Amino acid sequence: MHYARFYGCDLVNGEGIRVTLFVSGCLHACEGCYNRATWDRKSGQPFTPEVQAALLDLCERHDGLSLSGGDPLHPHNREPILALCRAFKARYPDKDIWLWTGYRYEEIRDLPVLAYLDVLIDGKYEQDQPSNQPWRGSDNQRLFRLHAKNATCP
């Protein structure tokens, strides 16, 4: 897996103060995407064990981890993202993971990584459907609280 960048202190991509990783690789090619540079799965830098360790260290003083892209659930990214989520939850069981994907929940609901996610935002970005809802770029996108005490799904 490759990644474009990560933010060590992010107030925009989820609740609280977060560490946000933007991975490379996206098959959706949404018109109007603000992050087109991440579509090529080989763009950016390799996500090495050293990068993962640095990312996890940063999470110690923040509320959680956010995963965006590109698409963290691009087929090439699924195993490394699963490994990262496992490592995060083993180290920080009380912190949350948010993940944005262009896939619909119904397409990915059986992926093992969902067992580690607290919040999933699904659906391709649709530039002709602007949204005022928090953490969503377009109105077709849905927010699932997968492991919240009172889990909600649209």
Side-chain angles (χ1 to χ4, degrees):
M1 178 173 84
H2 282 70
Y3 73 102
R5 66 189 169 283
F6 65 84
Y7 298 151
C9 185
D10 186 0
L11 301 171
V12 176
N13 292 292
E15 294 172 338
I17 302 171
R18 314 194 61 77
V19 174
T20 301
L21 173 67
F22 295 89
V23 300
S24 299
C26 185
L27 298 173
H28 306 295
C30 301
E31 190 170 330
C33 175
Y34 79 96
N35 218 357
R36 292 180 69 124
T38 64
W39 289 2
D40 179 351
R41 72 177 181 86
K42 294 184 179 179
S43 68
Q45 305 166 58
F47 189 75
T48 64
E50 294 79 17
V51 173
Q52 178 170 307
L55 195 77
L56 291 173
D57 286 347
L58 286 170
C59 292
E60 184 171 352
R61 13 179 236 275
H62 299 318
D63 298 306
L65 175 65
S66 293
L67 302 169
S68 191
D71 194 329
L73 298 183
H74 179 287
H76 186 76
N77 295 338
R78 290 177 183 180
E79 286 303 315
I81 288 295
L82 175 59
L84 173 60
C85 290
R86 280 183 179 146
F88 176 87
K89 285 296 189 173
R91 189 164 169 183
Y92 306 112
D94 296 327
K95 295 187 182 201
D96 60 16
I97 301 174
W98 288 49
L99 186 143
W100 281 256
T101 183
Y103 294 99
R104 300 292 285 178
Y105 173 78
E106 293 78 9
E107 298 173 274
I108 52 142
R109 69 175 161 223
D110 295 327
L111 292 179
V113 71
L114 268 69
Y116 297 91
L117 303 180
D118 298 282
V119 176
L120 173 78
I121 295 90
D122 81 340
K124 296 178 185 178
Y125 170 71
E126 300 287 345
Q127 78 177 22
D128 62 340
Q129 295 182 40
S131 180
N132 291 323
Q133 298 182 69
W135 305 298
R136 284 159 272 191
S138 55
D139 264 348
N140 63 298
Q141 294 174 319
R142 302 174 296 176
L143 185 147
F144 293 85
R145 292 194 183 271
L146 301 174
H147 292 101
K149 186 172 185 175
N150 297 310
T152 58
C153 297

